[in-house]
Amino acid sequence: MSLFSITGAQLAFGHVALLDRTDFSIETNERVGLIGRNGAGKSSLLKIVAQLIVPDDGVSARQQGLVTAYVPQEPVFADGETVFEAVASGLAAGRALLDEFNTVTAQLAETHESSQYDALLVQMTNLQAKLDAADTWQWSARVETLLTQLALDGNALVQTLSGGGQKRVALGAALVARPDLLLLDEPTNHLDFDGMRWLEELLIAQRASVLFITHDRSFLDRVATRIVELDRGRLLSFPGNFGAYQVQKAQQLEVERIENAKFDKLLAQEEVWIRKGVEARRTRSVSRIGRLVEMRTERAQRRSVQGNLKLNASQAEKSGKLVAELNEVSKSYDARVLIKDFSVTVTRGDRIGLIGPNGAGKTTLLKLILGTVPPDQGQARTGTQLHIAYFDQMRARLDPEQTLLETISPGSGERNRLLLAQLFARPSNVLVLDEPTNDLDIPALELLEELLAEYDGTVLLVSHDRTFLDNVVTSVIVAEGGGGWREYVGSFTDWQIQHARAAQSAPAGATKNTGAPASKDRAADRPIQRALKLSYKQQQELSALPAKIAALEAEQKAINEQLVEGSIFMQDAQQGARLAERHAQIEDELLAALERWQALEAK
C-alpha cells in the first residue's frame, strides 16, 4: 500500500531541473535507498516527502494519518538541551495535546453553565481520542525506554556528545514518534563501524518504511530493499539492494546508449535530406519537416550522462624502501592514553587502513607515522625521499576565500573534489587520506578507488567506508582499546573474520599483545591455542559443518539470483524485502559457521 506518492513532480533552482516531470512512491514495509550525484536534488526530494518544501508542480497523495519523521544531515539542537529533552521533542505535538487536555479538564471542573460544559466535554472527548491514538499518555516512560534502547544518558547535555552521539539523539527524536515513514539524510555521517552496524540492525528491525540518502555502499547493500536513483531530473527505480542495482544500471545505460545512437543516426539522415537540392525541396513532405523540427528539439533537450571528475595522480620519484618505523611508541593527551607500546614498519608500496571508533586516535597515529608529532615514549623514524600529499579530514588546506580558478584549474565545483584534485596534482610517493570519502558521491568514490589502484606509492588511509577499505587497502591497523593497536593483513572484511575467529577461539582470560608488530604472513595472525581433543559432540558438529556451509552458500546464491533479476519485487514487494533480509542473515550465518569450523579444525 502506497504511503506517499507524487506524479509529474517538478522542481528547479535556476535553469536546471532537479525534478523533471517525474514520479515517485514508497510502499509499506519498504526501505528505499535514494542515490545520485551531489547536487542532483536528493535532499530536496526528501524535504518534499517530509512536507518541508513544496514542488513547483506535481500531484501528491499521502496516506490518511501518515506519521513521518525527518532527520537532516546535520541536526541542530538548542544550547543547554539535555538528551532527554531533545528526544522528547519528537513528541512535541502529542505533549501539546496532553497540555490542552489537562487545561480543558481543569476548565470542565470549574464550569457550571450547561452549554459551555457540553462544549468542553465534546472537546475533551476528541482530545482523549487523539491521545489514545497517539499513545501519548505515558510519553515520559516512552522516552526513557527509547533512551535505554539507544544507550543514551538522558541527563547528558547534547552539545557535549560526539558527532555519532548527536546522530543517535536525532534518531531517537524521530523514532520516539513511532513514524510510519522515516526519512534519513546521510544517517551514517559521524558514525563509526559499530555505530553503522547498530543503525543497520535498527532499521532492518523497524516496522516503519524508510527513505534514506547515503553514499555508503555497504549500508545500501545491507539495508535497502529498493534503490531509487535521481539521474538528470528523473527518478529511476531498481528493485533489490545496491549489488542488484549495479547490474540493472549497467544494462539500462547500455540500452540508453544504443537508443540514443539510433536516434542520432536518424536525425543525421533527416538533416541530409532537408539540405538536398531545389528539386528535392519541391517534393518535401510537410509532416517530415515537422518531425525533423521535433527531433532537433528533443536532441537539444536531452540531458546526457554527466561526466565524472577526471583525475590523474602526479607521482614523484620512488621513496626509500622504508617509509616509517615505530618502535614501542606511546602517546597521551590530557592523561588519556591513545597509543601504548605500539610498533609497526611501513614499507614502500604498503596500503594501510587505520580502523577504530571515533576518538580512538587514528589521526594521532597517522601523525606519529609521518613524524609530524613526537611520541611520548619509544622511537619513531621516517624514511628517505618522502614526498607526502596529505588529505586533511578537516579540509584545512582549502582556502574558502579563494575562487575555484585560484584553488585549482580546472576546478570540479565541489569542495571535496577540489581538494582531491589539488592533492593529486602535487607530485607524491606517499598519499595520506584522512576520511577522504566524506561527502563524495558514489561515482566519485569509484573513481578514487580506481586512481588509488593505479597509484605506485604508499597509501595511508583513515575511513569508515567499509567498501572503500575493502577495495583499496592490503592491511589494516586496528584500535583494540586501552591504547592498544594491532596490524592485520588483508582488507576490512578480512580483519572482521580474523578478529571474530580470534575472539571465539582465544583461551578465556588470555591477554592480547597489541604492542608487537604484526607479521605480514596470515598464518602468523592466528592465535596460538593449546592442543585439545574434540569431544564426540564436537566431532559430530565438525562433520556436519561442510554440508551446512554448502547449503547456506546454495541458498544465498539462489536468493541473489532472484534479487538481481528483480521481478520478485514487482510480484510481491514484501517477499522481496524478506529475501533481501534473508540474504544479509545468511552472510552472518556463513561467517559464524566458517569461524566455528576453523576453531574446531584448530583443536
Side-chain angles (χ1 to χ4, degrees):
M1 184 177 180
S2 180
L3 299 176
F4 171 88
S5 65
I6 188 166
T7 306
Q10 285 188 273
L11 182 69
F13 293 101
H15 67 284
V16 176
L18 298 179
L19 299 177
D20 192 3
R21 295 183 178 85
T22 193
D23 304 334
F24 172 75
S25 67
I26 185 167
E27 309 292 320
T28 305
N29 297 325
E30 273 201 305
R31 296 190 299 272
V32 178
L34 180 58
I35 65 173
R37 290 180 178 273
N38 289 333
K42 302 184 298 296
S43 294
S44 296
L45 176 61
L46 213 62
K47 289 176 181 177
I48 288 173
V49 180
Q51 295 184 300
L52 297 175
I53 63 173
V54 179
D56 300 331
D57 197 6
V59 178
S60 61
R62 301 171 66 86
Q63 188 181 91
Q64 187 174 6
L66 179 69
V67 178
T68 62
Y70 169 72
V71 181
Q73 278 193 53
E74 302 294 338
V76 178
F77 302 96
D79 289 339
E81 191 173 27
T82 66
V83 169
F84 182 92
E85 291 168 341
V87 172
S89 68
L91 293 172
R95 291 166 62 191
L97 282 176
L98 187 58
D99 291 342
E100 187 179 353
F101 176 85
N102 291 333
T103 300
V104 170
T105 303
Q107 291 175 346
L108 197 63
E110 298 173 357
T111 300
H112 303 290
E113 186 180 336
S114 60
S115 61
Q116 187 178 1
Y117 184 90
D118 290 343
L120 286 170
L121 189 61
V122 170
Q123 187 179 358
M124 186 187 75
T125 303
N126 291 335
L127 287 169
Q128 185 173 358
K130 291 179 181 179
L131 287 166
D132 287 340
D135 189 24
T136 314
W137 296 104
Q138 302 296 325
W139 68 268
S140 181
R142 191 159 142 188
V143 173
E144 291 287 359
T145 300
L146 187 61
L147 290 176
T148 301
Q149 293 173 347
L150 300 182
L152 290 169
D153 178 6
N155 296 319
L157 293 177
V158 179
Q159 62 197 34
T160 65
L161 301 181
S162 66
Q166 292 188 11
K167 181 68 77 173
R168 283 183 183 240
V169 173
L171 286 165
L175 293 172
V176 76
R178 295 176 184 167
D180 305 303
L181 177 57
L182 186 58
L183 307 168
L184 307 175
D185 195 347
E186 296 286 3
T188 61
N189 277 7
H190 309 300
L191 295 183
D192 53 28
F193 298 120
D194 290 338
M196 288 181 193
R197 186 72 173 181
W198 163 81
L199 181 58
E200 287 170 355
E201 293 171 354
L202 179 73
L203 295 181
I204 290 171
Q206 275 296 304
R207 68 172 184 84
S209 295
V210 187
L211 175 61
F212 63 98
I213 298 170
T214 186
H215 300 308
D216 189 308
R217 292 159 290 178
S218 295
F219 191 85
L220 284 164
D221 252 343
R222 183 162 169 78
V223 175
T225 58
R226 177 161 64 104
I227 301 293
V228 171
E229 182 182 25
L230 182 51
D231 181 23
R232 292 162 284 170
R234 298 175 299 162
L235 287 165
L236 307 173
S237 181
F238 301 86
N241 61 8
F242 185 74
Y245 152 80
Q246 287 181 301
V247 174
Q248 297 172 70
K249 180 63 176 180
Q251 295 169 347
Q252 180 249 320
L253 286 175
E254 180 60 17
V255 169
E256 182 178 325
R257 185 192 66 78
I258 293 170
E259 291 299 319
N260 284 342
K262 289 179 180 177
F263 180 92
D264 292 344
K265 183 178 180 181
L266 179 59
L267 176 59
Q269 290 171 348
E270 294 299 286
E271 292 287 6
V272 170
W273 170 81
I274 198 68
R275 289 174 176 79
K276 285 186 177 179
V278 175
E279 284 300 317
R281 284 200 299 269
R282 286 176 181 166
T283 58
R284 284 182 301 183
S285 165
V286 174
S287 63
R288 192 171 179 183
I289 295 171
R291 186 180 68 170
L292 175 59
V293 172
E294 290 175 1
M295 290 177 70
R296 284 174 173 171
T297 303
E298 184 179 342
R299 180 64 184 86
Q301 291 177 346
R302 182 195 300 166
R303 291 173 67 176
S304 299
V305 177
Q306 185 180 346
N308 207 349
L309 172 66
K310 303 298 182 185
L311 290 177
N312 288 301
S314 299
Q315 296 191 190
E317 61 183 10
K318 285 187 176 182
S319 66
K321 185 173 182 180
L322 176 71
V323 173
E325 184 178 49
L326 303 182
N327 185 24
E328 298 291 319
V329 300
S330 298
K331 189 68 179 179
S332 302
Y333 286 105
D334 299 325
R336 184 181 173 212
V337 179
L338 295 179
I339 297 150
K340 182 179 180 181
D341 301 331
F342 178 62
S343 301
V344 71
T345 301
V346 181
T347 58
R348 185 177 62 227
D350 281 350
R351 297 164 181 272
I352 301 174
L354 275 64
I355 294 176
N358 293 329
K362 298 185 294 294
T363 301
T364 300
L365 181 54
L366 266 185
K367 292 177 179 179
L368 284 170
I369 292 172
L370 297 175
T372 57
V373 298
D376 297 335
Q377 297 176 358
Q379 292 81 41
R381 67 185 181 114
T382 55
T384 59
Q385 296 179 316
L386 300 184
H387 298 276
I388 299 169
Y390 194 104
F391 185 93
D392 182 7
Q393 178 182 182
M394 304 306 295
R395 318 297 184 245
R397 293 180 180 272
L398 206 63
D399 184 353
E401 300 300 321
Q402 288 186 326
T403 65
L404 299 183
L405 190 61
E406 289 169 334
T407 304
I408 185 168
S409 180
S412 66
E414 292 178 359
R415 189 176 181 84
N416 262 25
R417 290 179 175 225
L418 277 174
L419 195 54
L420 284 170
Q422 186 186 52
L423 179 80
F424 287 119
R426 186 181 305 117
S428 68
N429 50 34
V430 179
L431 277 178
V432 183
L433 305 172
D434 193 351
E435 296 288 5
T437 62
N438 286 354
D439 307 316
L440 288 183
D441 53 35
I442 291 172
L445 284 172
E446 292 173 343
L447 171 71
L448 183 55
E449 288 170 357
E450 292 174 10
L451 193 65
L452 292 175
E454 297 170 358
Y455 186 70
D456 198 32
T458 305
V459 178
L460 300 173
L461 168 66
V462 175
S463 177
H464 288 138
D465 189 315
R466 293 158 290 182
T467 303
F468 189 78
L469 284 164
D470 274 344
N471 291 342
V472 173
V473 304
T474 55
S475 68
V476 293
I477 298 175
V478 185
E480 298 197 328
W485 295 77
R486 183 179 176 186
E487 186 180 14
Y488 293 80
V489 172
S491 65
F492 174 83
T493 300
D494 294 327
W495 161 68
Q496 283 188 307
I497 295 170
Q498 294 178 61
H499 179 69
R501 185 185 302 151
Q504 190 176 53
S505 58
T511 56
K512 301 175 191 173
N513 180 13
T514 57
S519 167
K520 297 293 181 181
D521 184 352
R522 282 182 184 270
D525 285 324
R526 297 174 186 158
I528 299 171
Q529 299 184 14
R530 295 169 294 168
L532 297 175
K533 288 185 178 180
L534 294 178
S535 67
Y536 175 77
K537 186 176 179 181
Q538 288 173 327
Q539 289 174 353
Q540 294 294 103
E541 184 185 1
L542 180 58
S543 299
L545 276 172
K548 179 181 179 181
I549 291 168
L552 285 170
E553 289 175 337
E555 183 185 359
Q556 188 181 50
K557 181 180 178 182
I559 291 175
N560 190 62
E561 288 173 354
Q562 291 186 69
L563 294 177
V564 171
E565 194 271 331
S567 62
I568 183 66
F569 290 91
M570 305 297 292
Q571 298 163 3
D572 187 344
Q574 290 188 358
Q575 176 63 10
R578 285 192 291 269
L579 285 175
E581 287 188 25
R582 178 58 185 154
H583 189 276
Q585 289 169 0
I586 292 172
E587 193 70 36
D588 294 335
E589 291 176 20
L590 266 175
L591 178 61
L594 288 166
E595 290 164 358
R596 182 58 177 161
W597 187 23
Q598 193 77 21
L600 292 174
E601 282 282 356
K603 290 184 179 182

